[in-house]
Amino acid sequence: DLMDEGTDALDILENRLIPLRRGYIGVVNRSQKDIQGNKDIRKALEAERQFFLRHPKYRHIAEKMGTPNLQKVLNQQLTNHIKDTLPSLKQSLSNQLQS
């Protein structure tokens, strides 16, 4: 969600306010100004990392935040889902081919 300057999302990011099974991962997206100013993705990712590392409320959870961490977590969840569903899909296809 879009946050105004000074908004404190610590309770959400620490999964205390509205608990989710997998929790939350905070990210800082490029603003419209950044996009129009052609801000480089690498610079935006570094700015995001610095935001979490330097923010007094978020620095202790900085390693769990950010777009790279979100990518890693989503990739792992997708990999796990594929590993879990592939054997039954393979068996189902095998049964269909034998019919």
Side-chain angles (χ1 to χ4, degrees):
D1 198 6
L2 188 61
M3 292 177 33
D4 293 324
E5 185 85 23
T7 301
D8 182 359
L10 188 60
D11 285 341
I12 293 170
L13 294 175
E14 289 187 331
N15 206 27
R16 292 191 302 242
L17 189 62
I18 304 170
L20 296 177
R21 186 174 63 213
R22 293 186 172 103
Y24 296 85
I25 298 175
V27 299
V28 178
N29 291 313
R30 292 185 302 162
S31 68
Q32 190 62 41
K33 180 181 174 186
D34 291 339
I35 294 168
Q36 290 171 342
N38 295 320
K39 186 173 188 176
D40 183 75
I41 296 292
R42 280 180 251 113
K43 288 180 183 176
L45 289 172
E46 181 57 26
E48 175 188 56
R49 189 172 89 75
Q50 290 303 317
F51 170 81
F52 287 113
L53 286 172
R54 291 182 178 159
H55 195 288
K57 295 264 185 173
Y58 307 138
R59 69 174 56 125
H60 71 283
I61 58 172
E63 294 305 314
K64 297 177 184 177
M65 300 293 116
T67 302
N69 190 51
L70 178 60
Q71 289 172 320
K72 179 180 160 190
V73 168
L74 290 175
N75 188 30
Q76 186 61 54
Q77 288 177 7
L78 179 59
T79 300
N80 291 343
H81 178 71
I82 291 169
K83 285 179 181 178
D84 291 344
T85 58
L86 197 56
S88 63
L89 179 60
K90 183 178 175 182
Q91 184 62 46
S92 177
L93 289 172
S94 178
N95 290 344
Q96 288 178 12
L97 289 172
Q98 291 175 1
S99 296

